[in-house]
Amino acid sequence: MLALGSSTSVLEKPSADNAPLGRVISRTERADVLRLARRFRELQARLHHLGTVDPAERAAVQESIEVEIDRLDQSLPEGVRPADLPFACGPMPTWWGNARRGAVNAGLIGLPVTGLVYWITAVKDESWVLNTQDPAGFLWITVEILFRQVTWIVGGFFVGALWRDLPGRHGPTKAIFVAFAFAVPAAADFVLAQALGGYVPWAIGDIAAFGSVMTCTGLVMDLQTFQDERRYWPTHASLVAYVYRMRFASLAFFLAQLLALATIWKTFTEGGQSPSP
């Protein structure tokens, strides 16, 4: 994924002096990057709403807006828009800060997912009663819950740490690539086990749950990137709409959640039971 990201990452694009854009951005105040992105979006919004302007003034206004948009675009590498820069940098100024933020976000987001998965796999069919009858039963329950939480946290740490180098321009798409990289060995283990007559319980559901937590983490990271913009919007929903004007990123996020929820439910309710000996 990093090899793929190195050819598509926004911050790896060469700037005017052939230095990577990420190195140039690191010397720029974060507030200036957000201000540039906000100005670019304001100009685009004005350009799209010129229908309300008097036709006699429209041509002059449109030309002035287009000239300023071109000026902003020309200050960046080809194919990079000012609105892309905050997303590429992430919510924190360093990779370590992004890694810690991703780990915390994934741990919190994963709490309800852990509860849902544990309820379906253990509580729903009352198999947890067998654990409580064992002297070490509560220990095993705790270990299982902690294992899932640590899985989310480690995944979120990688999402944040590699944020600037991953392919994709927005959080959910970056997170999907990380989820895919983590899913490859798990899927290979599942296929090999099936081929050898073995069984890996809950594998598909676990992969779907991991993908869901990671894409939610990517979404939250994007929102936290623009948390300073919150004061300009009356509600959190308005901020989400402002941040996610990009249709592809929004579609990727919602499709990932719907697919993950459907897969988790189907796997854990129908295909999760071990086959008869």
Side-chain angles (χ1 to χ4, degrees):
M1 290 306 162
L2 291 179
L4 176 61
S6 64
S7 61
T8 61
S9 174
V10 169
L11 298 183
E12 289 297 322
K13 302 286 185 181
S15 60
D17 56 355
N18 288 326
L21 181 60
R23 189 180 305 169
V24 177
I25 294 298
S26 66
R27 298 193 296 266
T28 305
E29 290 291 336
R30 187 174 188 80
D32 293 337
V33 174
L34 290 171
R35 193 178 299 111
L36 179 65
R38 183 167 63 250
R39 178 59 180 166
F40 179 78
R41 286 184 166 187
E42 289 172 353
L43 291 171
Q44 285 190 315
R46 288 175 56 191
L47 191 63
H48 293 158
H49 292 87
L50 282 179
T52 59
V53 178
D54 182 15
E57 302 177 0
R58 185 179 306 165
V61 173
Q62 180 174 343
E63 182 179 0
S64 65
I65 293 175
E66 290 177 348
V67 167
E68 187 167 357
I69 289 178
D70 289 341
R71 180 179 62 80
L72 294 177
D73 278 338
Q74 290 169 4
S75 65
L76 297 171
E78 183 178 358
V80 178
R81 313 302 298 274
D84 295 333
L85 298 181
F87 291 101
C89 295
M92 304 300 288
T94 64
W95 74 268
W96 178 246
N98 282 335
R100 290 187 299 169
R101 183 63 64 91
V104 171
N105 289 339
L108 295 176
I109 292 168
L111 283 172
V113 178
T114 298
L116 173 64
V117 171
Y118 186 78
W119 180 81
I120 294 175
T121 58
V123 178
K124 186 172 181 289
D125 60 1
E126 297 186 352
S127 62
W128 68 279
V129 176
L130 299 177
N131 283 330
T132 60
Q133 294 173 352
D134 188 293
F138 283 107
L139 176 61
W140 289 116
I141 292 174
T142 303
V143 168
E144 182 178 354
I145 292 174
L146 288 178
F147 174 78
R148 293 189 184 279
Q149 281 300 118
V150 170
T151 301
W152 315 142
I153 291 171
V154 170
F157 181 88
F158 273 95
V159 169
L162 306 178
W163 186 270
R164 300 185 178 204
D165 300 316
L166 288 169
R169 291 178 180 254
H170 309 109
T173 51
K174 291 176 182 291
I176 284 176
F177 282 108
V178 171
F180 179 78
F182 270 71
V184 168
D189 181 45
F190 175 78
V191 171
L192 288 174
Q194 293 287 97
L196 297 175
Y199 184 68
V200 181
W202 324 116
I204 303 302
D206 284 337
I207 292 173
F210 184 82
S212 178
V213 173
M214 291 304 102
T215 51
C216 283
T217 300
L219 171 70
V220 172
M221 295 276 283
D222 278 347
L223 295 179
Q224 290 173 341
T225 298
F226 289 89
Q227 62 186 351
D228 290 339
E229 307 282 304
R230 172 68 182 88
R231 63 183 182 273
Y232 301 121
W233 301 97
T235 63
H236 287 286
S238 300
L239 176 62
V240 173
Y242 168 75
V243 172
Y244 272 84
R245 290 178 182 176
M246 297 69 56
R247 296 179 181 178
F248 180 77
S250 304
L251 184 63
F253 169 72
F254 287 112
L255 286 180
Q257 301 316 305
L258 291 176
L259 178 62
L261 288 173
T263 304
I264 292 169
W265 189 259
K266 179 177 176 60
T267 301
F268 289 139
T269 58
E270 298 179 7
Q273 300 298 325
S274 299
S276 301

